[in-house]
Amino acid sequence: MLLTIPLAAAGAQDVAIAGRVVRDDAQAPVPRQWVVLHAMTRGGGAPLDSTRTDATGRYTFTVPRVDTSAVYVVSALFAGIAHFSEPIVLAGRLSADFGRLVVYDTASSGPPIRLSLRYLSVGGARNDGTHEVIEAIELVNAGPRTRVPADSAPVWQGALPPGIVEFQVGESDVSADALERRGDVLAVFAPIAPGGSEQLSFAYVTPDTMRALRVAVDQPTDVLLLLVEDTMAAVTGEGVTALPVETLEGRRYARYRAESVPAGTEITIALAGAGWRAERLVPWVVAVAAVALLGGLVFALRRPGRAH
């Protein structure tokens, strides 16, 4: 529960902060736990103060001069893992309750980390015949403890399309140092807390000789989303449903979706060669349509592999 009183009514006074540190789903208080208060701005962040929790797990801080451009968070280092609260804006308040900060024990084994979402955006053919692909995935830990790596074993790993090049890690919830490409496998070495989700993003390029991007689903996936800039490309795979074409940032994309995708499924996306554009087919399609109308050959329009 968040308690607020406008500062305008009382002048520039100190802001009192309170909260409580509890342990996992049992919500048991964590006494004598160090808690750190941080101020976060666009230019970065810095710790402001620290204190220990009391016997009931509660802590308090007083902020004498609130930075109106900052958000404030509290953190607790428990079992070697840093846990952070949700950010709160203190400007305009006399007090704020950060509520419960839940910390967890760690484990290197447990229920499999679930792949709840996999998203791929496949760009159109570039002048050199390559395609840029952006992927984003969301991992969920359904277990009761924070999963951590055991020795050299990753917390989670998943298959990458074979033959890709120029692999790069994008903005993610975990450090880039905790993501490692091992051949056709992406390995994650970052801790993953229970309940919430960790989002990872990365990009790669398909070589100019590759004519199909083969996406191997090596583990059950809740939702698989595809955006393909080549709206005429053939996209095949069990359970894949075509959605209406959508325009994003001035580009048209064919959209596809699959749910509850079982392990062992393969999704194939046809790739065009250098300089190919769907718009180049327009005069050809018009000509074929005219011939079809004249000769009654409507079946000529039903070319195999055309996306609808």
Side-chain angles (χ1 to χ4, degrees):
M1 180 179 179
L2 192 63
L3 304 176
T4 64
I5 301 176
L7 275 179
Q13 299 185 27
D14 296 347
V15 178
I17 294 173
R20 189 165 179 251
V21 180
V22 297
R23 189 171 182 173
D24 56 53
D25 293 336
Q27 303 294 296
V30 183
R32 304 292 296 165
Q33 171 69 50
W34 279 109
V35 179
V36 180
L37 173 67
H38 308 258
M40 313 294 293
T41 65
R42 290 183 179 274
L48 299 181
D49 199 358
S50 63
T51 188
R52 283 189 185 272
T53 57
D54 63 16
T56 66
R58 294 198 65 81
Y59 63 86
T60 59
F61 290 104
T62 299
V63 182
R65 290 178 298 277
V66 170
D67 185 343
T68 58
S69 66
V71 296
Y72 292 78
V73 299
V74 294
S75 68
L77 185 66
F78 184 82
I81 305 297
H83 299 77
F84 288 85
S85 71
E86 292 295 326
I88 289 181
V89 175
L90 296 183
R93 305 178 187 272
L94 285 180
S95 64
D97 190 337
F98 275 83
R100 292 176 296 185
L101 175 59
V102 183
V103 297
Y104 299 91
D105 290 317
T106 61
S108 57
S109 62
I113 301 297
R114 192 173 87 247
L115 181 53
S116 63
L117 173 67
R118 185 174 183 181
Y119 160 90
L120 292 90
S121 175
V122 183
R126 302 191 291 195
N127 290 336
D128 60 356
T130 63
H131 296 254
E132 183 180 28
V133 182
I134 299 173
E135 282 207 44
I137 62 176
E138 187 172 271
L139 303 176
V140 175
N141 177 8
R145 296 178 174 85
T146 298
R147 290 289 293 277
V148 295
D151 299 325
S152 60
V155 170
W156 176 89
Q157 62 181 18
L160 295 170
I164 61 173
V165 297
E166 299 182 30
F167 179 87
Q168 291 184 333
V169 175
E171 184 174 348
S172 304
D173 288 338
V174 304
S175 168
D177 295 336
L179 302 180
E180 180 181 332
R181 180 188 177 186
R182 296 179 169 182
D184 294 334
V185 171
L186 175 65
V188 179
F189 294 90
I192 300 179
S197 61
E198 298 289 345
Q199 297 180 352
L200 318 175
S201 67
F202 47 93
Y204 49 83
V205 172
T206 64
D208 58 352
T209 55
M210 184 180 289
R211 289 296 169 262
L213 179 67
R214 304 188 185 279
V215 181
V217 179
D218 64 337
Q219 57 198 279
T221 303
D222 293 350
V223 177
L224 178 67
L225 298 175
L226 303 174
L227 286 180
V228 184
E229 188 175 3
D230 178 4
T231 59
M232 302 294 289
V235 177
T236 57
E238 183 179 354
V240 175
T241 301
L243 302 175
V245 173
E246 184 173 343
T247 300
L248 298 172
E249 297 182 353
R251 297 184 179 184
R252 299 177 73 247
Y253 289 88
R255 297 186 298 140
Y256 300 85
R257 181 185 180 95
E259 297 184 4
S260 301
V261 186
T265 302
E266 183 176 84
I267 311 298
T268 301
I269 305 167
L271 300 176
W276 192 93
R277 293 291 184 273
E279 291 78 1
R280 295 188 178 185
L281 284 182
V282 172
W284 183 87
V285 172
V286 171
V288 171
V291 173
L293 290 173
L294 290 174
L297 302 179
V298 177
F299 66 89
L301 291 176
R302 299 176 182 173
R303 296 180 296 114
R306 181 177 177 180
H308 297 282

